[in-house]
Amino acid sequence: MKKTFIMLCCGAGISSGMLATRTRNEAKDKGIPVTVEARSESEVADYFSVIDILFLGPHYASQQKEFQKQADRYHIPVMVVPQEIYGRLDGKALLELAINTLKN
């Protein structure tokens, strides 16, 4: 199974960093090969050639179309993390969302 690279776009990075850690831990527990990183808005474009999916923190929802335009040339889906996942820092739910999105 190919290793999946999940990127979280965040501001200060504290909440997104914790969500990334919980998602990595969930994937490790399930034996799912993933890389999960949280990066600032200014760093995301540097990773488009290697990531499989980009999640935006809810506070970046208004910028989703702009990020999607940049990601389109790499065929990368860009999604806003649902508030219930972000608010609970639910790594299991984020992992499931990423896997289900990439399957479709």
Side-chain angles (χ1 to χ4, degrees), residues 17 22 26 32 40 44 48 51 53 66 70 75 77 80 86 93 101:
R22 289 183 178 185
E26 184 67 28
I32 299 171
S40 70
V44 170
F48 281 131
I51 63 175
I53 188 168
E66 180 182 320
Q70 295 176 52
H75 309 288
V80 175
Y86 196 82
T101 299

Side-chain angles (χ1 to χ4, degrees), residues 22-35:
R22 289 183 178 185
T23 305
R24 275 192 301 273
N25 291 342
E26 184 67 28
K28 183 179 178 183
D29 290 348
K30 292 188 178 205
I32 299 171
V34 298
T35 296

Side-chain angles (χ1 to χ4, degrees), residues 6-66:
I6 301 168
M7 175 71 65
L8 291 149
C9 176
C10 55
I14 295 168
S15 294
S16 296
M18 289 176 66
L19 182 55
T21 297
R22 289 183 178 185
T23 305
R24 275 192 301 273
N25 291 342
E26 184 67 28
K28 183 179 178 183
D29 290 348
K30 292 188 178 205
I32 299 171
V34 298
T35 296
V36 185
E37 292 189 18
R39 296 286 179 211
S40 70
E41 173 186 8
S42 62
E43 295 177 281
V44 170
D46 295 337
Y47 290 87
F48 281 131
S49 64
V50 295
I51 63 175
D52 296 296
I53 188 168
L54 173 62
F55 283 107
L56 306 175
H59 47 289
Y60 283 106
S62 65
Q63 297 179 38
Q64 183 178 11
K65 287 183 182 180
E66 180 182 320

Side-chain angles (χ1 to χ4, degrees), residues 81-101:
V81 178
Q83 185 60 49
E84 60 272 10
I85 293 175
Y86 196 82
R88 291 181 299 164
L89 300 174
D90 190 341
K92 178 181 179 183
L94 186 69
L95 180 64
E96 290 171 359
L97 180 58
I99 289 168
N100 290 333
T101 299

